[in-house]
Structures are given as C-alpha cells and as structure tokens.
C-alpha cells in the first residue's frame, strides 16, 4: 500500500465522524507533516456520502501539534447549494494531560466543494521553464524528517545560495513512489514548497505553518489523467513581519495550472 | 456615525454570541456586500474579551445570501497558544421559509489571531506606481448597488477597455467618508477589487464570491497611524474554469504592503 493510502485509512464512526491514526511515514519534527493533515481533512469530506461536486477551496488552520495518538475528524455540512457546498471540519484528539477532559481541537478546517460546468474558461499563468527532472538533484531530507521520503522534490537551484532570497523557487514534484494524483494527494504536495525564510536567513530557523489554503483548479478526471507524472511548482516570497510570514505557490501539470496555495507561517529568527 | 460603524453595531447575546442587523448602507444585488460581512465577522472576534493579539488570517466562506433580517454570530474559540489563537465563526439567520426550523448558516468563517513580536522583518512586493488620486475618476456605482457609495475607488484605467484582460488592475481606495483604518475596515476594503471576469467577457456577467481570505501584514498601531489616508491596490487575473475563478489582490499604504487577499468567485458566462 502506498504510504499516502496508508495515511488515509479512516474508519467511519457515525454520521460526520471518522477515526484515524497519525501517519508515522509522514512524521515531521514534532508531529505529522502539515500537508498530510490537509490531505486527511480533505479526504474526510470526499468519503462522506453527502458531498457534491469537487473541491474548490481547502482551508486548514493548525491549532496545536497533532500528537502521536488516534484522532477523530468531526465534519459539519453547513449548506448544499446547486453549485457549491460548505463544510467545516475539526480534527480532535484526547487531552494528553487529562484523559477525562473534553477532546482537544488540533485542526480547524473548511472545505468548499463546487460543481464545475462546461463554461467559458481561461488558463492561469504559465508554468516555469525548468530543466528536465532527471538533470536535477532530489532534495534530501534532514535526519529524522520522514515525510520527505514520500516526496520527490527537485529544486531548480539551491535557494540557500545566491543573493536574491526574494526570487521565486521552482521545482519538480511528485509523490514517491509515484501514485495516481487525486485531490488529497495534491493537498499534500501543496505543502512541500521551500520555506522562503531559510533563504533569507541562510539558516534553518524554527518555523511552523499556522494556516494553509489550497485552491483547486482542475477536475477529478483531469487529475486522474495526470497519474503519477511530474508536476512543476513555484513558490514566491511574501512579507516577513513580527514572527509571521506568508507565501504563495502554484502547481502545474505541463501547461495547466492545477492548484494554487497560500500559507501563513510562524517563525523565530 | 460612519456607515461602517453603523454596520458594526453588534449586541452581546451571551458568551460567544452576538446579534446584529444587516447593513442596508452596504447593500449589493441580493444581499449585503461580501466585504461588509467579512468586516462584521472579524469585528465579532475583536469584540470578544477572550481574544489575544491581532488578526493574521480571515477566511470567509459565503454559504448562502444573507437575507434582509437580523443575524447572530456564533463564535467558537478553539485554541489559544502563546503566539496564535484560533476561532471559528458562523453567521446564522432564521429560516426564511420555516420560522420554527433551526437557524440557517449563511457564512462559515475562521480567524487566526497572532501576537506579533519584534523580530527580523522583510517587506513584501512594492506598490504599483499610480498617478495622484485627484487625477483619476472615481468608480461609479451601478443603480441600486449601495455599497459602492461607501468606498472611493479610483482605477488607473478602465479594465473593460483594452486588449489585455489578464493585466493587473491598480487603484486607489479608501472608505468614503474617510474613516480611521482598522482591521474590519481593511477586510471590507479587501473586497472592493474589480472582478477580472468583467474585463475578460467585456460584460457584467453574474458573479458571486464563494470564498475570501484576507492576510493581514500590519499592526493595529500602524493601521491607526494610516488614519483615513489613501491606500493603493492591485488585483491580478487568475484561472477561470468550469464556473469558478480565483484572483489575488494586494493593498498597500505608501510603500508598505498591509494586506493580501484571495477570492474564489462563482460565475456564469
């Protein structure tokens, strides 16, 4: 079983409730990788028989580190319209310090689903021009950061070198081993971008994602047709103020912009 | 009283509950202007004595048209950390068709608050270069769209003319009458940008905002110092697919990028 599919094994626990286990294969420093948490949240909605359409927007706010313990997803379907549907989702875990206490919310999320129709369309910005993936070195994980093993990320250049820390960082990216692309996988890939602050500070400073948005621009059929092919990505540098920075990134398959994503990240200098 | 302050008159209705009236001064086509709803949601958190820090991220998902009827804000404080705090907010109204039914959720929102500290900082992208506001014509409201009256928006050019519908649209913007800037006012201003699809289609096609994110990059003190001064803005063109488009916009005061915003908008062609 692919590590992503292993991570997405959720068990129904009544209407709007799913149970799961924290995926060790996607372990980060003090909890699971934020992208896998985003994938799990989105998968929760897609598994719910009440859902309509396809994901448009995924908002994930990381409230607290996800512990190495079982979790529950609590889904609330607020509204179903003809073209859109609105969900809120919480990931909850037992209180580590007090087993008798109410569960703790570790993630607050919202998902907007949309029914795409055959209408006038217009593509987004063009992808970066990158050398072939075979000619670029794979980004290597630091010791103990397991989630890296599940993504093949090939940066165009080492962002820690050079004098332009604001310059966009472009890359190839895909699951490793390659896996048919779907919305949860794309949500996971949306969190793989190089944190701009490392380039600015020329150091690995402490960071933690506070909020992530993923905007999906493609249909399920188009995602399925991509399969395990390489995607290209670009991440820009945002504003760094008072301990929080933002960054915007894009993901393409060939010429097609399939997702854009925005993060707010806590940092220390 | 400034129309914005009139719109923000919320009445406490128990812990985490506020009541308000829909602001007629900000009426749009079939409900209040989305930006005023965003301002109200954010103001709800700022009025709650439990809040810490300053707004970092505001996510507003528009589930259904807000009716011309009283509303309640239901606030849930999920988590307070040392540097961040996580809220979810619903705007609810009585069911128009069944007075005995449970209230209807018309907006789902999330707010992330953050405690900004004196750390290394780095500015975002530079503002557009615009002719003086006095030399540009104010954008005029269409008949019956009242919210326009409360914003003085001066576009650099008419986006409906010209052959480059993807080119960014830059503008001056401020409340009218001018009002000291604060976070709710900034959230309201973040929804004033020209919808790119009108430029693409060279027509006013039906649109409705589905989701709006506002990222705040400035402190309350800096906002207060701006007062009622002109802000500059830029909105870019995104992807138009299957009945939904996205767009990213930025707001500056002088050289300082104070907010960025991202929308997903439903459209018909």
């Amino acid at each position: 079983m692919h590590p992503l599919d292993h991570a997405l094994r959720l068990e129904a626990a009544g209407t709007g409730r799913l149970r799961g286990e924290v995926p060790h294969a996607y372990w980060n420093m003090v909890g699971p990788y934020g992208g896998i948490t985003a994938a799990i949240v989105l998968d929760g909605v897609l598994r719910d028989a009440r859902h309509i359409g396809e994901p448009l927007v995924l908002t994930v706010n990381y409230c607290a580190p996800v512990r190495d313990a079982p979790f529950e997803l609590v889904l609330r379907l607020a509204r179903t319209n003809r073209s859109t549907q609105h969900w809120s989702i919480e990931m909850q875990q037992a209180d580590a310090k007090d087993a008798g206490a109410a569960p703790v919310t570790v993630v607050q999320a919202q998902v907007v689903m949309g029914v795409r129709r055959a209408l006038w369309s217009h593509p987004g910005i063009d992808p970066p021009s990158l050398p072939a993936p075979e000619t670029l070195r794979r980004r290597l994980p630091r010791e103990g950061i397991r989630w890296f093993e599940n993504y093949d990320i090939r940066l165009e250049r080492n962002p820690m070198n050079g004098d332009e820390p604001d310059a966009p960082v472009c890359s190839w990216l895909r699951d490793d081993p390659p896996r048919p692309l779907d919305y949860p996988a794309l949500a996971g890939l949306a969190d793989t971008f190089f944190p701009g602050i490392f380039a600015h500070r020329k150091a690995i400073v402490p960071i933690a994602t506070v909020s992530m948005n993923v905007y999906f621009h493609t249909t399920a059929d188009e995602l399925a047709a991509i399969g395990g092919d390489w995607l290209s990505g670009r991440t820009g540098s945002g504003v760094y103020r008072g301990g929080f920075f933002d960054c915007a990134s894009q993901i393409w398959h060939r010429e097609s912009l399939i997702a854009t994503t925005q993060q707010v990240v806590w940092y220390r200098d």
Side-chain angles (χ1 to χ4, degrees), chain A residues 51-69:
Chain A
H51 87 264
I52 65 161
E54 298 170 336
L56 289 179
V57 189
L58 166 65
T59 303
V60 184
N61 289 344
Y62 299 91
C63 305
V66 178
R67 288 194 302 121
D68 186 6

Side-chain angles (χ1 to χ4, degrees), chain A residues 48-190:
Chain A
D48 194 300
R50 295 171 292 172
H51 87 264
I52 65 161
E54 298 170 336
L56 289 179
V57 189
L58 166 65
T59 303
V60 184
N61 289 344
Y62 299 91
C63 305
V66 178
R67 288 194 302 121
D68 186 6
F71 62 81
E72 275 203 14
L73 288 188
V74 182
L75 293 91
R76 174 165 142 65
L77 170 55
R79 180 86 182 194
T80 302
N81 301 310
R82 232 157 48 98
S83 299
T84 57
Q85 187 181 53
H86 292 270
W87 294 82
S88 64
I89 307 100
E90 293 209 348
M91 182 181 279
Q92 301 180 343
Q93 291 190 305
D95 191 317
K97 289 172 193 144
D98 181 358
V104 174
T105 298
V106 292
V107 168
Q108 280 193 319
Q110 293 188 172
V111 168
V112 184
M113 304 289 288
V115 178
R116 294 187 170 93
R117 303 177 201 281
L119 288 174
W120 172 81
S121 71
H122 183 73
I125 52 172
D126 289 333
S129 171
L130 283 164
E134 298 72 30
T135 65
L136 297 175
R137 263 181 48 197
R138 179 172 177 169
R139 197 175 159 203
L140 292 174
R142 283 179 284 147
E143 177 110 27
I145 302 196
R146 290 205 56 197
W147 66 267
F148 251 101
E149 299 165 17
N150 307 311
Y151 293 104
D152 192 342
I153 304 164
R154 301 188 178 213
L155 301 179
E156 185 188 22
R157 60 185 175 84
N158 183 345
M160 305 288 271
N161 299 337
D163 299 332
E164 294 187 20
D166 275 327
V169 178
C170 302
S171 54
W172 295 105
L173 57 157
R174 67 176 177 190
D175 287 298
D176 182 41
R179 174 187 176 278
L181 193 61
D182 55 18
Y183 293 106
L186 191 50
L189 284 156

